[in-house]
Amino acid sequence: MESMTNVNIRMSVEDKEMATSILESMGLNMTTLINMTIKQLIQKRKVPFEITAPSEDAYLLKYFTKEELEEGARELELMENHPENYKCYDNLNDLYQSLNED
């Protein structure tokens, strides 16, 4: 029989609850999933799933509300259609100087 060891991991309560619920619906638990993943890692000698960066939309929605993003999109459209109504700056120093003048 294989000797066993414990592995402790930290995750948010929300992630654990969501993952546990999904796994239970599949008849699995967290330990089984982690063991399956490790066995696949060993067998294939690579991470057994694709790892990608979050989409730009997911990143933006983490920091801005949908309403803020929609307002930003409207502002960009206005800027593109009426550039004469907006000031543009080549660097931050020019922007700061302009802000201090107003």
Side-chain angles (χ1 to χ4, degrees):
M1 180 177 159
E2 280 184 286
S3 60
M4 303 297 274
T5 188
N6 289 324
V7 176
N8 294 313
I9 62 170
R10 294 180 56 83
M11 71 175 70
S12 74
V13 172
E14 295 83 11
D15 286 352
K16 181 183 178 194
E17 288 172 355
M18 289 177 64
T20 300
S21 175
I22 293 166
L23 289 167
E24 285 174 355
S25 74
M26 298 174 178
L28 301 171
N29 61 39
M30 195 75 68
T31 299
T32 303
L33 173 69
I34 291 169
N35 280 322
M36 289 169 48
T37 303
I38 296 299
K39 291 289 186 186
Q40 286 294 301
L41 172 72
I42 293 165
Q43 182 180 13
K44 297 179 186 266
R45 305 206 45 82
K46 67 177 190 170
V47 176
F49 45 84
E50 184 177 355
I51 300 173
T52 60
S55 71
E56 186 174 303
D57 290 343
Y59 177 81
L60 290 173
L61 286 170
K62 182 176 180 178
Y63 297 101
F64 301 99
T65 66
K66 185 177 178 186
E67 292 76 23
E68 289 171 323
L69 292 173
E70 288 171 349
E71 177 63 24
R74 285 190 293 276
E75 284 290 322
L76 284 174
E77 186 177 340
L78 283 171
M79 289 174 69
E80 290 172 354
N81 294 331
H82 303 284
E84 67 280 359
N85 295 334
Y86 296 88
K87 291 182 182 178
C88 293
Y89 302 94
D90 294 326
N91 58 62
L92 285 176
N93 287 335
D94 291 347
L95 171 61
Y96 291 143
Q97 184 177 354
S98 175
L99 289 171
N100 289 328
E101 290 171 358
D102 294 339

